Amino acid sequence: MTGNLMTTLPHHRGRGRPLTLGALASTAALFLAACTSSGSTDEDGGSDAGAPPPEPAWGEWQELDGDWQAIASSTDKALLSSGDETAVFDSTGQRLWDLPEDPDGLDQEPIKVEMDDNAVYVMYTEGNPLLALDADTGEQLWRFNPSDLDNCTPAKGVHFDVDPRSPELLVVSYTDDGVNPEDFHPGFCSSDIPTDSPFASHVVSLDRATGKQLYEPIKDQIGKTAVAGAFDFTGQYYDRVFYERLGTTITRTDVQTGETRSVDAYLSQGAAATNFGDGGDGTFTIATGGDSFEQVRVDRWADYWQEGDTHDYDEGEATAVVAPHDPLCSYNRTTSPSGYTYCNPTERLSDEDVMPVSQLLGDPSGEEIFTWTPDGSDPDTWEITGWDAARSAGTQPGGEADALLDPVVPASESAPALLVLPTEHDGLTAFDLRTGETVWESAPDTENPPSTAHYVPATDEILVSSPGNLKALDARSGEEAWEETDIDHDALNLSASGPAATVQRPGTNATTWLRFVEPIGS
């Protein structure tokens, strides 16, 4: 089964959201996911049940005109973008269909995309319609318009999220994206609230196959601004943070049922939330602008109060204190395509020279895994106990390209899950994701030290990129599996997704080589 990628598309004509794939022009950006193998057949076309399936292997390079980057993929197709165009290609390099631009004639641009074997899911600017397009033909399978919820839904600021532990659904929610009153939908939100009044945003889960809503949308309280939303450690809940002049509200929605709880947290000095991180076990790191953070512990969740409810409003109970240290590692967490949630290794804000911290927070089963217990009001006791890994110079994560990396090797029956990082010895080090113990180190490469590491499930390899060099290591031992020699790729750019990889030679006569892991299919 292939993993799924959701990414923000390159900025096209000076409008839309910030560019998040531009960093691929100077560093490798790899996002590879599982690819299943096909069974063999005998000469009469029947199934040869006794023969072992062929081993997956990288196929031949296919040459394409133009500068294309792999941004999403399925088992046998890849979605490539050149900045001005986005198209679906198959493993032979054939261009199958182009992602439609401006489908409603409103000067729209695609801003987010996710892909699986059945469809490409894309959201556009100007009203944020979400379209599901047939992966083979590009024909529209279904369409979701946020404005269809009701006129109180803002015309901008809507996005969708996915989690590998809930692959059957998409969560559509609203976060503030600089929405101005003139961007609201025309008409009235209700009988007495005009469009230039405070709006109410929504969250809802959609069935990925049909686009149907799984529950009645959760309508937020008018006057509160949603600043961030994300899946929790387990993939079972979708958390959001709101602010208003009186305080901050955290909501938690069950993505399958829509059951929602909330709590009001009164931050110090009336600070307004700008972002947040789930700390597990009902704790959160709240960013309040600049380098300021507060820790919130939920002591009691309350039933969520929506506009129109007749029961009394319940604030719930929470403890909020100013964080005397840099944000917890959970603030920089990420979830791999295989379902491991971990602290994204990142340099601390207070000291550029200290080592990044990592910690396994959740596993594919949805279990929370961390080694801490919040105790009292002292936030120093709320720190997750992580482990450190000294990275090689110039490879501190946190840039745009890192959003596409997957350095996690899933656990096997006999081996733990690994986190593979470029380290100080000019090579890669594989750490036990749970304990931080070193499992293997690759041979150092002082001439071309690796700058990226990405796991390829189909071949159980770590794809390694450095300036002028592309090779793969055995994911379980760190031994070199192969080194690319067919293409002179000095000063070329590398990108990949799922079973597809591309290298580009930019310039006036730009050329791209596309390559897939084969065999394709199931």
Side-chain angles (χ1 to χ4, degrees):
M1 179 178 67
T2 58
N4 298 311
L5 165 69
M6 183 180 68
T7 186
T8 304
L9 287 172
H11 195 34
H12 285 78
R13 299 188 295 274
R15 306 183 65 238
R17 299 191 179 181
L19 171 66
T20 62
L21 294 177
L24 287 170
S26 59
T27 187
L30 307 175
F31 193 104
L32 292 100
C35 169
T36 56
S37 301
S38 61
S40 59
T41 58
D42 58 27
E43 295 180 357
D44 297 327
S47 176
D48 186 359
E55 291 291 331
W58 289 97
E60 298 297 324
W61 291 102
Q62 308 294 331
E63 188 171 340
L64 311 176
D65 291 333
D67 186 2
W68 296 91
Q69 299 172 359
I71 59 173
S73 69
S74 64
T75 303
D76 58 354
K77 300 177 186 66
L79 190 66
L80 308 184
S81 177
S82 65
D84 295 325
E85 299 176 291
T86 304
V88 174
F89 291 77
D90 66 15
S91 60
T92 68
Q94 181 180 357
R95 186 170 177 171
L96 301 180
W97 54 274
D98 287 16
L99 200 69
E101 293 193 18
D102 199 15
D104 300 325
L106 300 175
D107 197 21
Q108 295 165 306
E109 297 174 3
I111 52 173
K112 281 192 174 182
V113 65
E114 195 271 341
M115 188 177 189
D116 59 29
D117 284 345
N118 299 315
V120 173
Y121 308 89
V122 57
M123 182 168 277
Y124 289 85
T125 59
E126 305 304 325
N128 296 127
L130 173 59
L131 277 59
L133 308 174
D134 186 278
D136 293 323
T137 66
E139 295 181 0
Q140 181 174 309
L141 300 176
W142 54 261
R143 173 179 175 136
F144 174 80
N145 296 310
S147 60
D148 292 342
L149 297 176
D150 65 41
N151 282 333
C152 284
T153 306
K156 291 186 177 180
V158 185
H159 71 284
F160 72 99
D161 286 319
V162 297
D163 187 280
R165 291 158 298 190
S166 301
E168 75 283 0
L169 57 81
L170 310 168
V171 173
V172 178
S173 71
Y174 166 83
T175 56
D176 180 63
D177 192 28
V179 178
N180 298 312
E182 60 267 23
D183 294 325
F184 295 171
H185 285 290
F188 289 84
C189 287
S190 64
S191 59
D192 58 352
I193 302 178
T195 56
D196 59 354
S197 294
F199 52 82
S201 53
H202 296 71
V203 63
V204 67
S205 297
L206 304 181
D207 184 291
R208 186 188 291 246
T210 65
K212 301 297 184 182
Q213 300 173 23
L214 298 187
Y215 49 82
E216 285 296 316
I218 306 303
K219 183 176 181 179
D220 303 316
Q221 299 160 25
I222 291 177
K224 292 189 176 182
T225 301
V227 297
F231 280 89
D232 78 321
F233 286 177
T234 69
Q236 180 182 356
Y237 300 107
Y238 193 79
D239 298 330
R240 290 184 298 160
V241 170
F242 303 80
Y243 77 83
E244 60 174 339
R245 59 187 179 85
L246 298 179
T248 294
T249 299
I250 304 170
T251 67
R252 168 159 285 186
T253 299
D254 187 304
V255 297
Q256 298 290 343
T257 67
E259 180 182 358
T260 299
R261 299 174 294 170
S262 67
V263 66
D264 288 350
Y266 296 96
L267 306 182
S268 66
Q269 301 176 351
T274 59
N275 210 329
F276 81 109
D278 170 26
D281 200 27
T283 60
F284 298 86
T285 301
I286 307 291
T288 58
D291 295 341
S292 299
F293 298 87
E294 298 203 17
Q295 300 304 125
V296 173
R297 184 189 66 212
V298 178
D299 300 310
R300 180 179 63 84
W301 289 102
D303 291 337
Y304 187 53
W305 188 89
Q306 301 184 69
E307 293 294 330
D309 283 349
T310 57
H311 63 79
D312 293 338
Y313 182 83
D314 186 350
E315 293 183 347
E317 298 175 4
T319 302
V321 293
V322 176
H325 47 64
D326 297 319
L328 303 181
C329 69
S330 57
Y331 185 74
N332 301 296
R333 68 185 175 87
T334 188
T335 299
S336 74
S338 51
Y340 289 89
T341 298
Y342 61 99
C343 295
N344 190 19
T346 184
E347 57 187 312
R348 297 271 184 161
L349 296 175
S350 60
D351 188 346
E352 294 182 358
D353 297 326
V354 301
M355 296 181 289
V357 174
S358 188
Q359 174 71 26
L360 179 62
L361 304 174
D363 69 8
S365 71
E367 179 186 359
E368 286 188 350
I369 302 172
F370 40 84
T371 56
W372 68 301
T373 301
D375 180 22
S377 60
D378 182 2
D380 280 332
T381 68
W382 299 3
E383 178 69 80
I384 292 177
T385 303
W387 47 269
D388 298 331
R391 297 173 64 92
S392 57
T395 63
Q396 290 285 3
E400 294 173 345
D402 274 355
L404 298 180
L405 296 177
D406 179 24
V408 174
V409 180
S412 67
E413 292 183 359
S414 59
L418 306 177
L419 182 65
V420 182
L421 302 173
T423 47
E424 290 180 323
H425 78 291
D426 293 327
L428 297 180
T429 301
F431 300 94
D432 184 315
L433 187 51
R434 187 184 291 263
T435 67
E437 296 179 358
T438 297
V439 176
W440 55 257
E441 290 183 343
S442 69
D445 187 341
T446 56
E447 183 177 352
N448 292 301
S451 57
T452 62
H454 196 99
Y455 178 62
V456 188
T459 55
D460 204 28
E461 295 172 343
I462 296 293
L463 195 58
V464 184
S465 156
S466 61
N469 190 36
L470 172 62
K471 60 185 176 182
L473 307 180
D474 183 285
R476 307 298 168 176
S477 67
E479 297 295 325
E480 183 173 311
W482 54 264
E483 183 173 5
E484 178 55 53
T485 58
D486 292 340
I487 296 178
D488 178 12
H489 53 280
D490 287 347
L492 297 185
N493 303 321
L494 172 67
S495 66
S497 172
T502 64
V503 290
Q504 306 91 29
R505 178 181 288 119
T508 304
N509 298 314
T511 302
T512 298
W513 290 269
L514 170 68
R515 194 182 193 189
F516 269 77
V517 173
E518 298 176 343
I520 303 297
S522 59

